[in-house]
Amino acid sequence: MVAIVASYSVFPSKETPKGHLWLSDNDHVWRSGHTPTIYVYKAKHSDDTIQRLRNSLPEILVHYYPLAGRLTLRETGRMEVDCNAKGVTLLQAETTKSLADYGDFSPSDSVRELVPKIDYTQPIEEIPLLLVQSTRFHDGEGFVIGVAFCHPLADGLAGTRFINSWAKLARGETLEPHELPYLDRTILKLQHSSTSPCFDHPELKPLPLKLGSSDINAEQSKKTSGVLLKLTPEQVQKLKKEANEEALEEGVRAYSRFEAIAGHVWRCACKARELDEKQPTVVRFNGDVRSRLVPPLPRNYFGNALAETVSPECYVGEIVSKPLSYGAQKIREATKKLRNEYIRSQMEIVLGEEQLDGIRGFFSGQGERNSFPFAGNPNLHITSWMSMPMYEADFGWGKPVFFGLAYVCAHDRAVILLGPHGDGSIIVSMHFQEAHLELFKKFFYQSL
């Protein structure tokens, strides 16, 4: 059990710009609420721990001042940030559990307690955009920093860079000019045209249903659980080697570790579900587009810069029976689509009246609604966080020994992360229907 010992409202240490910050279409189409993540440290927790966080947080909020504001809703259904410097929340907490009691910190209800809980039935305009909780383990063998970060403000990469910059200030260092956030989102202001998009955009259309089913409600209601599946550097290389066993055409680059791991996860999911071999299936991805746009976004763009893509539809029987290179190739075809013209075309059409209605519902207490089609059984949602430098979050007591999601996704999803040791190991944070999870784990390691 986790008990809150103290709660602090933290404000920028200097006067910051006031007014309303325009949010891009891209900021509107992902989850409306907060994304909960945890950083686990093995250092001894002391009074200095919370004091160091309290002293450095006001400093970083000067640079990231929109985070100290509040979301507000316009009549059009679009959100803005009221940069009113109302502050963020910092909680000091203790748990009756030891570090060992949490095991490997797989996403679960007990791990979720390590991140601030948010009541979305209260007025959204009053909810802080950032809430942080420092929780000390009962045995004194370490602590967790749990972060609830409002997704309309920033995606995972931007959020990670914020945490790392905060940690740098906490260590007594100063930020270099290239580390300061680029806050102006009008760089993503699009000229909406009345003509039809140049691309088909299958990622915005309903995904395949289970054979014999006419709607997704039955699958959406099934319970999912989270598990962390670890791959050693040798196992990662084994998957890469397997994916590249088939001779590639001259000039075609070898399949990457992401393509190999994602293909392996897809194949294991198809096997574990024991679906008909003629069952259509796809994989959905979302990717960072900062460097894919022309011209590219500033490296430290603080906001959402994501695009959605989906693999070509194929049959379960093909994914299960063909070499790993088959699934890896389908994944490559999906990610190759994310080029400047395709991304801009998607950004122009993704925010429609249905999404704006969902945002209005969120502000009136009806909960979150996702803009993209449900990606559970017989399909899969895969996200790569391998480029996110989450293990640089050293506040002065050493780097985290673990970083991960603190909640279980409601649909089948794999989040692929680097291991904490910098040795090439990988962690797959797998969220899967409980009925098929044990079989999935069996197939995941069977050939490794």
PDB file of all heavy atoms in Angstrom, residues 36-63:
ATOM      1  N   PRO A  36       1.288   7.463 -17.587  1.00  0.00           N
ATOM      2  CA  PRO A  36       2.039   7.167 -16.356  1.00  0.00           C
ATOM      3  C   PRO A  36       3.267   6.295 -16.618  1.00  0.00           C
ATOM      4  O   PRO A  36       3.165   5.214 -17.190  1.00  0.00           O
ATOM      5  CB  PRO A  36       1.007   6.420 -15.504  1.00  0.00           C
ATOM      6  CG  PRO A  36       0.042   5.817 -16.476  1.00  0.00           C
ATOM      7  CD  PRO A  36       0.172   6.522 -17.785  1.00  0.00           C
ATOM      8  N   THR A  37       4.432   6.789 -16.210  1.00  0.00           N
ATOM      9  CA  THR A  37       5.676   6.027 -16.332  1.00  0.00           C
ATOM     10  C   THR A  37       6.428   6.067 -15.005  1.00  0.00           C
ATOM     11  O   THR A  37       6.169   6.929 -14.164  1.00  0.00           O
ATOM     12  CB  THR A  37       6.585   6.589 -17.443  1.00  0.00           C
ATOM     13  OG1 THR A  37       6.831   7.976 -17.188  1.00  0.00           O
ATOM     14  CG2 THR A  37       5.948   6.436 -18.817  1.00  0.00           C
ATOM     15  N   ILE A  38       7.360   5.127 -14.845  1.00  0.00           N
ATOM     16  CA  ILE A  38       8.140   5.077 -13.600  1.00  0.00           C
ATOM     17  C   ILE A  38       9.632   4.991 -13.895  1.00  0.00           C
ATOM     18  O   ILE A  38      10.059   4.371 -14.870  1.00  0.00           O
ATOM     19  CB  ILE A  38       7.729   3.893 -12.688  1.00  0.00           C
ATOM     20  CG1 ILE A  38       7.799   2.559 -13.452  1.00  0.00           C
ATOM     21  CG2 ILE A  38       6.361   4.110 -12.081  1.00  0.00           C
ATOM     22  CD1 ILE A  38       7.696   1.333 -12.565  1.00  0.00           C
ATOM     23  N   TYR A  39      10.413   5.629 -13.021  1.00  0.00           N
ATOM     24  CA  TYR A  39      11.872   5.523 -13.005  1.00  0.00           C
ATOM     25  C   TYR A  39      12.241   4.927 -11.648  1.00  0.00           C
ATOM     26  O   TYR A  39      11.901   5.500 -10.607  1.00  0.00           O
ATOM     27  CB  TYR A  39      12.524   6.893 -13.137  1.00  0.00           C
ATOM     28  CG  TYR A  39      12.299   7.598 -14.453  1.00  0.00           C
ATOM     29  CD1 TYR A  39      11.102   8.265 -14.729  1.00  0.00           C
ATOM     30  CD2 TYR A  39      13.301   7.637 -15.427  1.00  0.00           C
ATOM     31  CE1 TYR A  39      10.906   8.928 -15.935  1.00  0.00           C
ATOM     32  CE2 TYR A  39      13.122   8.308 -16.631  1.00  0.00           C
ATOM     33  CZ  TYR A  39      11.924   8.946 -16.878  1.00  0.00           C
ATOM     34  OH  TYR A  39      11.725   9.613 -18.073  1.00  0.00           O
ATOM     35  N   VAL A  40      12.923   3.788 -11.649  1.00  0.00           N
ATOM     36  CA  VAL A  40      13.284   3.103 -10.407  1.00  0.00           C
ATOM     37  C   VAL A  40      14.768   3.336 -10.118  1.00  0.00           C
ATOM     38  O   VAL A  40      15.618   3.135 -10.992  1.00  0.00           O
ATOM     39  CB  VAL A  40      13.004   1.590 -10.497  1.00  0.00           C
ATOM     40  CG1 VAL A  40      13.353   0.895  -9.181  1.00  0.00           C
ATOM     41  CG2 VAL A  40      11.535   1.336 -10.863  1.00  0.00           C
ATOM     42  N   TYR A  41      15.064   3.751  -8.872  1.00  0.00           N
ATOM     43  CA  TYR A  41      16.449   4.024  -8.440  1.00  0.00           C
ATOM     44  C   TYR A  41      16.785   3.145  -7.244  1.00  0.00           C
ATOM     45  O   TYR A  41      15.942   2.935  -6.365  1.00  0.00           O
ATOM     46  CB  TYR A  41      16.611   5.497  -8.056  1.00  0.00           C
ATOM     47  CG  TYR A  41      16.379   6.447  -9.216  1.00  0.00           C
ATOM     48  CD1 TYR A  41      15.097   6.921  -9.498  1.00  0.00           C
ATOM     49  CD2 TYR A  41      17.435   6.862 -10.021  1.00  0.00           C
ATOM     50  CE1 TYR A  41      14.878   7.780 -10.568  1.00  0.00           C
ATOM     51  CE2 TYR A  41      17.221   7.732 -11.088  1.00  0.00           C
ATOM     52  CZ  TYR A  41      15.943   8.186 -11.361  1.00  0.00           C
ATOM     53  OH  TYR A  41      15.722   9.030 -12.417  1.00  0.00           O
ATOM     54  N   LYS A  42      18.021   2.676  -7.195  1.00  0.00           N
ATOM     55  CA  LYS A  42      18.453   1.836  -6.067  1.00  0.00           C
ATOM     56  C   LYS A  42      19.184   2.632  -5.001  1.00  0.00           C
ATOM     57  O   LYS A  42      19.669   2.069  -4.031  1.00  0.00           O
ATOM     58  CB  LYS A  42      19.328   0.689  -6.584  1.00  0.00           C
ATOM     59  CG  LYS A  42      18.510  -0.516  -7.035  1.00  0.00           C
ATOM     60  CD  LYS A  42      19.344  -1.777  -7.085  1.00  0.00           C
ATOM     61  CE  LYS A  42      18.418  -2.982  -7.327  1.00  0.00           C
ATOM     62  NZ  LYS A  42      19.187  -4.207  -7.590  1.00  0.00           N
ATOM     63  N   ALA A  43      19.281   3.929  -5.170  1.00  0.00           N
ATOM     64  CA  ALA A  43      19.968   4.770  -4.182  1.00  0.00           C
ATOM     65  C   ALA A  43      19.145   4.861  -2.899  1.00  0.00           C
ATOM     66  O   ALA A  43      17.925   4.680  -2.903  1.00  0.00           O
ATOM     67  CB  ALA A  43      20.182   6.160  -4.765  1.00  0.00           C
ATOM     68  N   LYS A  44      19.813   5.163  -1.800  1.00  0.00           N
ATOM     69  CA  LYS A  44      19.123   5.365  -0.524  1.00  0.00           C
ATOM     70  C   LYS A  44      18.273   6.625  -0.607  1.00  0.00           C
ATOM     71  O   LYS A  44      18.728   7.670  -1.079  1.00  0.00           O
ATOM     72  CB  LYS A  44      20.143   5.505   0.611  1.00  0.00           C
ATOM     73  CG  LYS A  44      20.925   4.241   0.908  1.00  0.00           C
ATOM     74  CD  LYS A  44      20.101   3.263   1.722  1.00  0.00           C
ATOM     75  CE  LYS A  44      20.935   2.049   2.119  1.00  0.00           C
ATOM     76  NZ  LYS A  44      20.115   1.027   2.793  1.00  0.00           N
ATOM     77  N   HIS A  45      17.061   6.533  -0.128  1.00  0.00           N
ATOM     78  CA  HIS A  45      16.159   7.690  -0.106  1.00  0.00           C
ATOM     79  C   HIS A  45      16.399   8.484   1.175  1.00  0.00           C
ATOM     80  O   HIS A  45      16.537   7.921   2.252  1.00  0.00           O
ATOM     81  CB  HIS A  45      14.707   7.210  -0.161  1.00  0.00           C
ATOM     82  CG  HIS A  45      13.710   8.307  -0.371  1.00  0.00           C
ATOM     83  ND1 HIS A  45      13.308   9.140   0.639  1.00  0.00           N
ATOM     84  CD2 HIS A  45      13.038   8.710  -1.482  1.00  0.00           C
ATOM     85  CE1 HIS A  45      12.427  10.007   0.169  1.00  0.00           C
ATOM     86  NE2 HIS A  45      12.242   9.769  -1.115  1.00  0.00           N
ATOM     87  N   SER A  46      16.473   9.806   1.035  1.00  0.00           N
ATOM     88  CA  SER A  46      16.661  10.657   2.215  1.00  0.00           C
ATOM     89  C   SER A  46      15.832  11.926   2.048  1.00  0.00           C
ATOM     90  O   SER A  46      15.193  12.139   1.014  1.00  0.00           O
ATOM     91  CB  SER A  46      18.137  11.017   2.373  1.00  0.00           C
ATOM     92  OG  SER A  46      18.558  11.851   1.291  1.00  0.00           O
ATOM     93  N   ASP A  47      15.862  12.767   3.079  1.00  0.00           N
ATOM     94  CA  ASP A  47      15.149  14.046   2.981  1.00  0.00           C
ATOM     95  C   ASP A  47      15.698  14.881   1.829  1.00  0.00           C
ATOM     96  O   ASP A  47      14.982  15.685   1.232  1.00  0.00           O
ATOM     97  CB  ASP A  47      15.285  14.830   4.296  1.00  0.00           C
ATOM     98  CG  ASP A  47      14.517  14.165   5.428  1.00  0.00           C
ATOM     99  OD1 ASP A  47      13.599  13.381   5.127  1.00  0.00           O
ATOM    100  OD2 ASP A  47      14.839  14.430   6.596  1.00  0.00           O
ATOM    101  N   ASP A  48      16.967  14.680   1.513  1.00  0.00           N
ATOM    102  CA  ASP A  48      17.594  15.420   0.419  1.00  0.00           C
ATOM    103  C   ASP A  48      16.959  15.064  -0.929  1.00  0.00           C
ATOM    104  O   ASP A  48      16.939  15.877  -1.847  1.00  0.00           O
ATOM    105  CB  ASP A  48      19.096  15.122   0.381  1.00  0.00           C
ATOM    106  CG  ASP A  48      19.783  15.788  -0.801  1.00  0.00           C
ATOM    107  OD1 ASP A  48      19.756  17.030  -0.865  1.00  0.00           O
ATOM    108  OD2 ASP A  48      20.308  15.074  -1.668  1.00  0.00           O
ATOM    109  N   THR A  49      16.424  13.839  -1.030  1.00  0.00           N
ATOM    110  CA  THR A  49      15.840  13.398  -2.303  1.00  0.00           C
ATOM    111  C   THR A  49      14.690  14.303  -2.714  1.00  0.00           C
ATOM    112  O   THR A  49      14.682  14.872  -3.810  1.00  0.00           O
ATOM    113  CB  THR A  49      15.335  11.938  -2.175  1.00  0.00           C
ATOM    114  OG1 THR A  49      16.410  11.111  -1.717  1.00  0.00           O
ATOM    115  CG2 THR A  49      14.832  11.431  -3.515  1.00  0.00           C
ATOM    116  N   ILE A  50      13.699  14.442  -1.846  1.00  0.00           N
ATOM    117  CA  ILE A  50      12.536  15.268  -2.184  1.00  0.00           C
ATOM    118  C   ILE A  50      12.938  16.746  -2.266  1.00  0.00           C
ATOM    119  O   ILE A  50      12.405  17.501  -3.088  1.00  0.00           O
ATOM    120  CB  ILE A  50      11.377  15.040  -1.178  1.00  0.00           C
ATOM    121  CG1 ILE A  50      10.055  15.574  -1.753  1.00  0.00           C
ATOM    122  CG2 ILE A  50      11.676  15.662   0.175  1.00  0.00           C
ATOM    123  CD1 ILE A  50       9.493  14.745  -2.868  1.00  0.00           C
ATOM    124  N   GLN A  51      13.898  17.165  -1.437  1.00  0.00           N
ATOM    125  CA  GLN A  51      14.324  18.559  -1.455  1.00  0.00           C
ATOM    126  C   GLN A  51      15.014  18.900  -2.776  1.00  0.00           C
ATOM    127  O   GLN A  51      14.813  19.982  -3.333  1.00  0.00           O
ATOM    128  CB  GLN A  51      15.272  18.843  -0.285  1.00  0.00           C
ATOM    129  CG  GLN A  51      15.318  20.318   0.116  1.00  0.00           C
ATOM    130  CD  GLN A  51      13.935  20.899   0.411  1.00  0.00           C
ATOM    131  OE1 GLN A  51      13.157  20.329   1.172  1.00  0.00           O
ATOM    132  NE2 GLN A  51      13.624  22.024  -0.213  1.00  0.00           N
ATOM    133  N   ARG A  52      15.792  17.964  -3.278  1.00  0.00           N
ATOM    134  CA  ARG A  52      16.471  18.185  -4.554  1.00  0.00           C
ATOM    135  C   ARG A  52      15.446  18.314  -5.686  1.00  0.00           C
ATOM    136  O   ARG A  52      15.594  19.146  -6.578  1.00  0.00           O
ATOM    137  CB  ARG A  52      17.438  17.030  -4.842  1.00  0.00           C
ATOM    138  CG  ARG A  52      18.236  17.229  -6.113  1.00  0.00           C
ATOM    139  CD  ARG A  52      19.291  16.166  -6.268  1.00  0.00           C
ATOM    140  NE  ARG A  52      20.331  16.266  -5.248  1.00  0.00           N
ATOM    141  CZ  ARG A  52      21.535  15.731  -5.362  1.00  0.00           C
ATOM    142  NH1 ARG A  52      21.857  15.075  -6.461  1.00  0.00           N
ATOM    143  NH2 ARG A  52      22.423  15.848  -4.402  1.00  0.00           N
ATOM    144  N   LEU A  53      14.411  17.498  -5.647  1.00  0.00           N
ATOM    145  CA  LEU A  53      13.348  17.592  -6.653  1.00  0.00           C
ATOM    146  C   LEU A  53      12.606  18.927  -6.528  1.00  0.00           C
ATOM    147  O   LEU A  53      12.322  19.586  -7.537  1.00  0.00           O
ATOM    148  CB  LEU A  53      12.365  16.425  -6.500  1.00  0.00           C
ATOM    149  CG  LEU A  53      12.919  15.018  -6.771  1.00  0.00           C
ATOM    150  CD1 LEU A  53      11.864  13.965  -6.447  1.00  0.00           C
ATOM    151  CD2 LEU A  53      13.385  14.872  -8.211  1.00  0.00           C
ATOM    152  N   ARG A  54      12.307  19.310  -5.290  1.00  0.00           N
ATOM    153  CA  ARG A  54      11.574  20.580  -5.065  1.00  0.00           C
ATOM    154  C   ARG A  54      12.391  21.793  -5.487  1.00  0.00           C
ATOM    155  O   ARG A  54      11.824  22.779  -5.979  1.00  0.00           O
ATOM    156  CB  ARG A  54      11.204  20.712  -3.583  1.00  0.00           C
ATOM    157  CG  ARG A  54      10.084  19.808  -3.127  1.00  0.00           C
ATOM    158  CD  ARG A  54       9.726  20.098  -1.673  1.00  0.00           C
ATOM    159  NE  ARG A  54       9.080  21.389  -1.515  1.00  0.00           N
ATOM    160  CZ  ARG A  54       8.789  21.947  -0.341  1.00  0.00           C
ATOM    161  NH1 ARG A  54       9.118  21.317   0.776  1.00  0.00           N
ATOM    162  NH2 ARG A  54       8.195  23.120  -0.281  1.00  0.00           N
ATOM    163  N   ASN A  55      13.702  21.735  -5.301  1.00  0.00           N
ATOM    164  CA  ASN A  55      14.541  22.891  -5.631  1.00  0.00           C
ATOM    165  C   ASN A  55      14.768  23.040  -7.131  1.00  0.00           C
ATOM    166  O   ASN A  55      14.892  24.154  -7.650  1.00  0.00           O
ATOM    167  CB  ASN A  55      15.906  22.775  -4.928  1.00  0.00           C
ATOM    168  CG  ASN A  55      15.788  22.942  -3.427  1.00  0.00           C
ATOM    169  OD1 ASN A  55      14.777  23.424  -2.918  1.00  0.00           O
ATOM    170  ND2 ASN A  55      16.818  22.522  -2.692  1.00  0.00           N
ATOM    171  N   SER A  56      14.859  21.928  -7.843  1.00  0.00           N
ATOM    172  CA  SER A  56      15.192  21.975  -9.273  1.00  0.00           C
ATOM    173  C   SER A  56      13.964  22.067 -10.181  1.00  0.00           C
ATOM    174  O   SER A  56      14.044  22.597 -11.293  1.00  0.00           O
ATOM    175  CB  SER A  56      16.018  20.746  -9.652  1.00  0.00           C
ATOM    176  OG  SER A  56      15.363  19.552  -9.242  1.00  0.00           O
ATOM    177  N   LEU A  57      12.820  21.574  -9.715  1.00  0.00           N
ATOM    178  CA  LEU A  57      11.609  21.603 -10.548  1.00  0.00           C
ATOM    179  C   LEU A  57      11.187  23.036 -10.911  1.00  0.00           C
ATOM    180  O   LEU A  57      10.847  23.297 -12.081  1.00  0.00           O
ATOM    181  CB  LEU A  57      10.480  20.837  -9.835  1.00  0.00           C
ATOM    182  CG  LEU A  57       9.186  20.589 -10.608  1.00  0.00           C
ATOM    183  CD1 LEU A  57       9.433  20.019 -11.990  1.00  0.00           C
ATOM    184  CD2 LEU A  57       8.261  19.658  -9.819  1.00  0.00           C
ATOM    185  N   PRO A  58      11.212  24.007  -9.982  1.00  0.00           N
ATOM    186  CA  PRO A  58      10.860  25.380 -10.376  1.00  0.00           C
ATOM    187  C   PRO A  58      11.785  25.945 -11.466  1.00  0.00           C
ATOM    188  O   PRO A  58      11.343  26.716 -12.317  1.00  0.00           O
ATOM    189  CB  PRO A  58      11.012  26.172  -9.071  1.00  0.00           C
ATOM    190  CG  PRO A  58      10.865  25.163  -7.980  1.00  0.00           C
ATOM    191  CD  PRO A  58      11.468  23.914  -8.527  1.00  0.00           C
ATOM    192  N   GLU A  59      13.066  25.531 -11.440  1.00  0.00           N
ATOM    193  CA  GLU A  59      14.020  26.013 -12.441  1.00  0.00           C
ATOM    194  C   GLU A  59      13.681  25.500 -13.835  1.00  0.00           C
ATOM    195  O   GLU A  59      13.667  26.262 -14.808  1.00  0.00           O
ATOM    196  CB  GLU A  59      15.436  25.559 -12.085  1.00  0.00           C
ATOM    197  CG  GLU A  59      16.036  26.188 -10.847  1.00  0.00           C
ATOM    198  CD  GLU A  59      17.441  25.644 -10.615  1.00  0.00           C
ATOM    199  OE1 GLU A  59      18.279  25.770 -11.533  1.00  0.00           O
ATOM    200  OE2 GLU A  59      17.682  25.075  -9.534  1.00  0.00           O
ATOM    201  N   ILE A  60      13.399  24.191 -13.948  1.00  0.00           N
ATOM    202  CA  ILE A  60      13.126  23.626 -15.277  1.00  0.00           C
ATOM    203  C   ILE A  60      11.788  24.125 -15.808  1.00  0.00           C
ATOM    204  O   ILE A  60      11.589  24.244 -17.020  1.00  0.00           O
ATOM    205  CB  ILE A  60      13.198  22.078 -15.248  1.00  0.00           C
ATOM    206  CG1 ILE A  60      13.257  21.524 -16.669  1.00  0.00           C
ATOM    207  CG2 ILE A  60      12.040  21.462 -14.487  1.00  0.00           C
ATOM    208  CD1 ILE A  60      14.463  21.940 -17.474  1.00  0.00           C
ATOM    209  N   LEU A  61      10.857  24.455 -14.910  1.00  0.00           N
ATOM    210  CA  LEU A  61       9.553  24.963 -15.357  1.00  0.00           C
ATOM    211  C   LEU A  61       9.661  26.347 -15.997  1.00  0.00           C
ATOM    212  O   LEU A  61       8.764  26.745 -16.746  1.00  0.00           O
ATOM    213  CB  LEU A  61       8.561  25.005 -14.184  1.00  0.00           C
ATOM    214  CG  LEU A  61       8.055  23.649 -13.697  1.00  0.00           C
ATOM    215  CD1 LEU A  61       7.141  23.833 -12.481  1.00  0.00           C
ATOM    216  CD2 LEU A  61       7.322  22.892 -14.806  1.00  0.00           C
ATOM    217  N   VAL A  62      10.723  27.071 -15.730  1.00  0.00           N
ATOM    218  CA  VAL A  62      10.928  28.362 -16.411  1.00  0.00           C
ATOM    219  C   VAL A  62      11.107  28.116 -17.909  1.00  0.00           C
ATOM    220  O   VAL A  62      10.551  28.829 -18.744  1.00  0.00           O
ATOM    221  CB  VAL A  62      12.150  29.101 -15.824  1.00  0.00           C
ATOM    222  CG1 VAL A  62      12.458  30.355 -16.641  1.00  0.00           C
ATOM    223  CG2 VAL A  62      11.892  29.457 -14.368  1.00  0.00           C
ATOM    224  N   HIS A  63      11.872  27.085 -18.259  1.00  0.00           N
ATOM    225  CA  HIS A  63      12.119  26.759 -19.666  1.00  0.00           C
ATOM    226  C   HIS A  63      10.911  26.058 -20.297  1.00  0.00           C
ATOM    227  O   HIS A  63      10.614  26.264 -21.471  1.00  0.00           O
ATOM    228  CB  HIS A  63      13.349  25.864 -19.794  1.00  0.00           C
ATOM    229  CG  HIS A  63      14.595  26.474 -19.230  1.00  0.00           C
ATOM    230  ND1 HIS A  63      15.168  27.616 -19.758  1.00  0.00           N
ATOM    231  CD2 HIS A  63      15.375  26.104 -18.173  1.00  0.00           C
ATOM    232  CE1 HIS A  63      16.255  27.927 -19.064  1.00  0.00           C
ATOM    233  NE2 HIS A  63      16.400  27.026 -18.093  1.00  0.00           N
TER     234      HIS A  63
END
